[in-house]
Amino acid sequence: MGRRRQRPVGHKRQWGILLPMLLTTPWAWGMTATINGVSGNVEDNIDAYLQAIDAEQYTSARLEAEITRRTQEAMRVFGYYEPTINVTLSQGEPRNDKDGKEIRRQARLEIEPGPQVEIETLDLTIRGDAQDDPPFEEAVDDFPLREGDPLRHAPWDRLTSRLSTLAVERGYFDWYFADRRMEVRPYRQSARLYLDFDSGPRYQFGRSRVIGSHIELDRLRMMQPFEQGDPYLAENIALYNQRLAETGWFSSVTVKPRLESAQELVIGPPSGGTPWWNEVTTAIPQRPRLSGTALASALQLAQPDNHQLPVDVTVQPADRHQFSVGVGYATDVGPRLRFSWHQPWINRFGHGLDHDLYLSAPEQRFSGTYNIPLEDPLRDSYRLQYGVRNIDDNDTQSLEATVEFARRWEFENRWVQSLYFRTTYEDFTQGGESEQVWLFYPGIQWSRTRTRPPRFPEWGDRQQLSIEYSDTAWGSDARFLRVTGDTEWIRMLGTDNRFVARVSVGAIETDDFSKLPPSLRFFAGGDRSVRGYSYESLSPRNEQGRLRGGQQMLTSSLEYQRRVRGDWWGAAFVDTGDAFDGWGPNDLKTGAGLGVRWVSPVGPIRFDVAHPFDDDDNDWRLHFSIGPEF
């Protein structure tokens, strides 16, 4: 038995919707209308219907009849079926409308709306497997009209459209309306609404067939958000498509259900067309659609026994070697060049390899990452990272070589956990003191970055916490515990006010600080630290007045940005922080200033003028950088 819902008598509600006419373009208007007797949505809808009239194409008699006809149509959707409409036409003084077209004819409408049709009977029935499916129950429960309410067409049309869309999205490919009627009796000011929706059976996911893959098929199937026999959901097709595309293994991905026979005749695009529909039906041949009555008869004659839909996955391999070059500039490092060599796959298991070469005046770096995906390639992996870095900046000279092996997990809440073991050799001179050290230490890191949109976020945050420990017990040249944490937030107030806040902290506990290389010590100052001070120029100094790095670090920043025009923003900021020894600084260095932001096609460009409050030798400093805050 189907589910039948008889609506109780409820209180009246006022609803409205504009139904613009699409008969001619707005530049064809040749008249204006003054409407009296109705207001609100009814008046607006009449005005929308009349705007499409080119008055110069009508005689006076025909124009009056056309205005009356369109006014009746505009009022009918709000339940006014018997209005009295008096139209008065006048030539008027010539003038131009907002588009420059000359207007000579004017109309005055005096309307007596008459009684509004009320719903006498409301009968909504859901049959088939969908009668116990919560989204369909919710669609019926959300229908705003009740018996005794004024009739309005828009909610009725939305309900029928919503049911058909749900059917396609949720795998009811044999659905049809056994009855869909709106019986209006204007002479009795009543209407009867009947809707009988038969969903038929719900289809399930069948077997998946992958075509064109150079990666082991088991790895692709492990990313499926569905199993064979699960109820069909179009969003799972789109999700599977997205996951395969995010691996980087393929240049193109198409995931679609294999719709056959009766299903192809009934399936049709949902109202308005949605991205997932276009995605999953791209390769489906277009065929004539059957009417509801004809379809019902056809399905009764030949109902398929198997309601599982096979899923076809068609992929093309991505280029095995991908190269990119980036050029930039920042006040901290001057001109900089980056060359990247990306190999998204190097074998049938989906292993990947990346190499990166970075060049600037104070730093040169070459690094590589070998990625080994596990059961969930997007979330779980092993990573082997290696690199060589040379630094010559201020009082720091360092040559560093590092190898790291890590296990990475990404959780449902988008937090990423990395457990790693790192080996570092560093030959350095810091503040005139030279040392060579081998370090072997494990670490763990938790991080999460969320932004929307990514190019110039209107909302976002970034969190990171790292803990590292080294001990001479396993051959390391230094014993230390190092903890670092960063948090950064972006929020908007309205559409023109943007706030950016940042806090960074770090601490090292060790019994021999001289054994720690510069890469592990703390320095502050620069474009992304305390503006007004040069790059990494804030730290404790030795007896010769040279920078030696700190055991602790604290920096914070608060910035307010105001849109000036389009993609141009003004900024005001204050930064404070320092690197220091001992638990707690005696004081913090502070800088403040003004800046300009331009959201360029290549990313945000920032220009700041900052004043340091604790530097007697400099009154101001320029900071320039390209790239997002995160």
Side-chain angles (χ1 to χ4, degrees):
M1 295 295 292
R3 172 168 298 174
R4 183 175 295 271
R5 300 187 178 220
Q6 193 73 23
R7 293 295 184 181
V9 176
H11 61 278
K12 297 183 179 180
R13 300 177 185 174
Q14 298 298 321
W15 299 77
I17 187 170
L18 297 179
L19 300 176
M21 299 293 290
L22 301 176
L23 300 179
T24 59
T25 54
W27 54 263
W29 303 350
M31 60 164 287
T32 58
T34 302
I35 303 170
N36 297 318
V38 293
S39 60
N41 290 328
V42 180
E43 180 184 6
D44 292 340
N45 207 41
I46 295 172
D47 184 63
Y49 269 72
L50 297 184
Q51 283 179 357
I53 298 177
D54 184 356
E56 300 302 323
Q57 303 300 317
Y58 294 86
T59 64
S60 295
R62 288 185 57 210
L63 179 59
E64 182 177 336
E66 182 68 10
I67 292 174
T68 301
R69 183 184 68 81
R70 296 196 183 199
T71 301
Q72 290 172 339
E73 290 182 1
M75 297 183 66
R76 209 168 282 161
V77 299
F78 291 97
Y80 295 103
Y81 276 76
E82 293 185 313
T84 300
I85 304 169
N86 293 316
V87 180
T88 303
L89 300 177
S90 61
Q91 188 69 12
E93 292 295 327
R95 62 184 181 85
N96 294 331
D97 68 4
K98 63 180 181 179
D99 297 314
K101 181 176 177 60
E102 186 179 81
I103 297 175
R104 292 178 176 272
R105 311 188 75 171
Q106 300 177 25
R108 182 181 182 85
L109 282 68
E110 298 291 341
I111 301 174
E112 173 57 47
Q116 195 171 12
V117 170
E118 296 183 353
I119 299 175
E120 176 185 349
T121 301
L122 179 61
D123 191 358
L124 307 178
T125 303
I126 304 293
R127 292 189 290 129
D129 289 353
Q131 63 182 314
D132 296 318
D133 196 350
F136 286 87
E137 295 178 329
E138 181 180 347
V140 175
D141 292 339
D142 289 345
F143 186 62
L145 302 180
R146 302 291 187 269
E147 291 179 356
D149 284 353
L151 173 65
R152 288 178 292 109
H153 292 201
W156 176 258
D157 294 337
R158 285 198 298 268
L159 175 62
T160 57
S161 176
R162 183 176 178 184
L163 292 177
S164 60
T165 299
L166 282 173
V168 175
E169 290 177 348
R170 300 182 66 78
Y172 299 94
F173 297 129
D174 298 334
W175 68 270
Y176 67 98
F177 288 104
D179 191 9
R180 182 175 50 178
R181 287 179 293 150
M182 178 186 292
E183 298 178 356
V184 181
R185 294 172 172 80
Y187 57 90
R188 296 183 57 180
Q189 293 88 50
S190 68
R192 297 177 180 178
L193 306 184
Y194 301 94
L195 187 145
D196 187 351
F197 178 84
D198 191 335
S199 69
R202 185 174 187 181
Y203 284 76
Q204 297 90 38
F205 286 108
R207 291 180 58 85
S208 297
R209 182 182 65 170
V210 181
I211 303 172
S213 177
H214 56 295
I215 304 298
E216 286 285 334
L217 298 185
D218 287 344
R219 287 195 171 274
L220 305 189
R221 293 193 175 104
M222 284 189 295
M223 288 187 284
Q224 283 186 182
F226 55 83
E227 299 289 341
Q228 183 177 352
D230 287 350
Y232 178 88
L233 275 176
E235 64 183 36
N236 282 345
I237 292 288
L239 179 58
Y240 190 25
N241 196 312
Q242 176 185 337
R243 288 179 177 177
L244 292 176
E246 287 179 352
T247 62
W249 296 334
F250 310 106
S251 61
S252 68
V253 178
T254 301
V255 181
K256 66 180 188 298
R258 194 185 311 157
L259 304 173
E260 299 172 343
S261 61
Q263 301 98 296
E264 286 192 55
L265 297 176
V266 66
I267 190 170
S271 176
T274 56
W276 67 260
W277 171 266
N278 297 329
E279 185 70 36
V280 302
T281 61
T282 300
I284 299 176
Q286 297 298 313
R287 302 189 181 183
R289 307 297 180 190
L290 297 179
S291 67
T293 304
L295 178 64
S297 301
L299 293 177
Q300 289 175 357
L301 293 175
Q303 188 69 262
D305 295 329
N306 183 5
H307 295 121
Q308 287 196 356
L309 289 179
V311 177
D312 291 332
V313 181
T314 304
V315 297
Q316 291 183 0
D319 292 339
R320 195 167 187 174
H321 302 279
Q322 301 174 13
F323 302 93
S324 63
V325 177
V327 178
Y329 178 88
T331 309
D332 287 346
V333 298
R336 57 193 180 190
L337 173 68
R338 169 165 280 150
F339 178 81
S340 298
W341 175 20
H342 176 51
Q343 294 178 268
W345 59 274
I346 60 175
N347 56 34
R348 61 191 177 91
F349 301 107
H351 295 189
L353 183 61
D354 294 328
H355 285 104
D356 185 82
L357 176 63
Y358 173 86
L359 300 174
S360 68
E363 179 181 356
Q364 303 83 47
R365 180 178 69 244
F366 175 79
S367 61
T369 301
Y370 187 85
N371 186 65
I372 305 173
L374 299 177
E375 289 188 5
D376 188 341
L378 295 177
R379 297 178 178 232
D380 300 327
S381 63
Y382 286 115
R383 293 188 177 184
L384 176 63
Q385 297 177 299
Y386 46 89
V388 178
R389 182 173 67 163
N390 180 69
I391 296 178
D392 188 352
D393 182 45
N394 290 331
D395 296 326
T396 302
Q397 293 81 42
S398 171
L399 179 62
E400 172 192 358
T402 299
V403 177
E404 175 185 298
F405 185 72
R407 174 71 165 90
R408 179 183 183 274
W409 299 265
E410 181 175 343
F411 304 110
E412 292 289 345
N413 58 9
R414 299 180 61 182
W415 279 94
V416 176
Q417 175 179 280
S418 295
L419 184 65
Y420 56 87
F421 184 84
R422 183 177 298 162
T423 299
T424 298
Y425 171 78
E426 194 159 347
D427 184 353
F428 66 90
T429 299
Q430 181 64 57
E433 301 176 7
S434 299
E435 189 67 77
Q436 297 178 355
V437 295
W438 277 99
L439 300 177
F440 307 96
Y441 56 97
I444 188 170
Q445 181 184 90
W446 297 275
S447 63
R448 182 176 69 176
T449 299
R450 302 179 296 177
T451 60
R452 61 173 187 260
R455 180 163 160 252
F456 189 66
E458 298 179 355
W459 180 96
D461 56 68
R462 179 180 62 88
Q463 326 294 335
Q464 180 174 300
L465 174 64
S466 300
I467 303 173
E468 299 167 332
Y469 181 74
S470 174
D471 201 304
T472 56
W474 52 69
S476 186
D477 287 339
R479 185 180 68 84
F480 64 85
L481 173 66
R482 187 173 188 267
V483 180
T484 60
D486 296 277
T487 182
E488 190 166 0
W489 299 77
I490 297 176
R491 292 294 186 267
M492 292 280 289
L493 180 61
T495 58
D496 298 327
N497 301 282
R498 189 170 183 261
F499 296 88
V500 182
R502 181 181 67 250
V503 176
S504 297
V505 296
I508 300 173
E509 183 65 27
T510 181
D511 54 5
D512 188 356
F513 186 70
S514 65
K515 290 289 187 179
L516 263 65
S519 60
L520 295 177
R521 302 183 187 188
F522 294 112
F523 301 85
D527 297 341
R528 299 188 58 83
S529 181
V530 184
R531 283 164 286 188
Y533 301 86
S534 60
Y535 180 57
E536 294 192 346
S537 63
L538 301 180
S539 88
R541 297 177 180 267
N542 58 20
E543 295 178 354
Q544 290 76 36
R546 297 178 177 179
L547 298 172
R548 61 184 298 269
Q551 289 188 243
Q552 282 82 39
M553 182 267 297
L554 171 63
T555 64
S556 64
S557 174
L558 180 62
E559 181 171 317
Y560 166 67
Q561 300 172 5
R562 171 75 179 179
R563 189 194 305 272
V564 178
R565 183 177 182 181
D567 290 332
W568 289 89
W569 298 68
F573 58 86
V574 58
D575 303 333
T576 187
D578 203 353
F580 44 88
D581 291 327
W583 289 98
N586 294 325
D587 55 14
L588 296 175
K589 309 298 185 185
T590 301
L594 301 175
V596 176
R597 308 288 180 264
W598 176 43
V599 188
S600 75
V602 298
I605 296 177
R606 298 187 298 276
F607 178 80
D608 294 322
V609 179
H611 170 67
F613 291 99
D614 304 288
D615 188 346
D616 296 333
D617 298 328
N618 297 285
D619 291 330
W620 53 273
R621 183 174 180 82
L622 297 179
H623 294 273
F624 177 82
S625 61
I626 301 175
E629 287 90 352
F630 293 170

